[in-house]
Amino acid sequence: MFGGSFNPIHFGHLLVADDIAETLGLDRVLFVPAAVPPHKPVSELAPAVHRFAMTRLAVAEHPRFEVSDVELRRSGPSYTVDTLEALRPRGDLHLIIGSETFLDLLSWHEPRRLPGIARLVVVPRSGNAFDPTAPAAQKVLTELVLGPFTRPGEDGRAVLTEAASLPLSGSDLRKRARTGRSLAYRMPAAVVAYIREHGLYRDA
């Protein structure tokens, strides 16, 4: 599972997902746009139905990518632990998160339930230093009873792995869309067309 606001989805998301799928030999990567992200200001979000539609367009041509509306069909905040519980019957689950998100896990809703449902795949963001031995990282590992970080191919509940990345950010793309600047080569053409057609981020 690869969750997020995807506001909007871009090539950075897709590249990380493709790299992780290949490195870990995953059958598929399920993109799950959050309907009501607990840690994101609602005022900055495009409507969930649009973010879902853009994500579906973005992943359409990849044989191992899918998109789920599981969080759009559920009322209230989009808590990851609830989503993982809903997806559990689909098979062995991995939760792909960035290293910054990993360090923030203790503030999540019922984070101690996560290791019993899914293996955490932690991906350091390019350009941001992440020290897995630092006290902040070790505190999360200890509090969630994850054991030590492991590498791909090793057993463990927290896998630390590198992935290719691009210097793209949702905030920059929203600003570009708002001011009419080019979005080309930053996201799939179908997503660019969707943003323009629906006038997304113009009033953000």
Side-chain angles (χ1 to χ4, degrees):
M1 170 185 161
F2 187 14
S5 59
F6 300 122
N7 186 44
I9 192 166
H10 52 69
F11 281 136
H13 298 125
L14 300 172
L15 182 58
V16 166
D18 182 70
D19 222 9
I20 294 298
E22 184 176 60
T23 300
L24 299 184
L26 302 179
D27 294 324
R28 60 181 44 84
V29 176
L30 188 66
F31 289 71
V32 181
V36 186
H39 298 96
K40 297 276 187 177
V42 176
S43 61
E44 297 179 3
L45 291 172
V49 65
H50 288 312
R51 291 184 285 106
F52 172 80
M54 288 188 288
T55 304
R56 185 168 57 184
L57 288 170
V59 308
E61 297 183 6
H62 196 293
R64 286 195 282 184
F65 287 179
E66 293 182 16
V67 60
S68 171
D69 65 351
V70 62
E71 294 192 352
L72 277 69
R73 291 185 278 107
R74 191 172 68 234
S75 61
S78 301
Y79 294 129
T80 297
V81 67
D82 294 334
T83 301
L84 290 171
E85 283 285 10
L87 297 175
R88 193 200 289 258
R90 296 189 60 150
D92 186 27
L93 295 176
H94 296 68
L95 175 63
I96 302 171
I97 56 175
S99 54
E100 294 173 352
T101 299
F102 173 80
L103 294 175
D104 193 44
L105 278 181
L106 295 180
S107 71
W108 282 25
H109 179 68
E110 299 185 1
R112 287 163 182 80
R113 290 172 54 200
L114 293 172
I117 309 172
R119 195 178 192 200
L120 303 187
V121 180
V122 181
V123 185
R125 179 179 293 186
S126 178
N128 286 2
F130 175 68
D131 181 359
T133 66
Q138 290 299 307
K139 178 178 175 61
V140 177
L141 292 174
T142 300
E143 291 284 335
L144 300 189
V145 196
L146 287 163
F149 279 117
T150 60
R151 291 291 178 178
E154 301 175 346
D155 291 332
R157 301 308 292 169
V159 182
L160 184 62
T161 183
E162 301 291 333
S165 63
L166 294 172
L168 295 172
S169 73
S171 59
D172 176 65
L173 295 174
R174 292 191 298 274
K175 182 178 179 180
R176 282 179 166 273
R178 185 168 63 249
T179 56
R181 295 182 64 196
S182 174
L183 297 172
Y185 305 108
R186 295 164 177 84
M187 59 181 70
V191 177
V192 175
Y194 189 96
I195 290 173
R196 299 303 191 202
E197 178 184 354
H198 293 274
L200 299 182
Y201 308 114
R202 284 293 189 176
D203 299 322

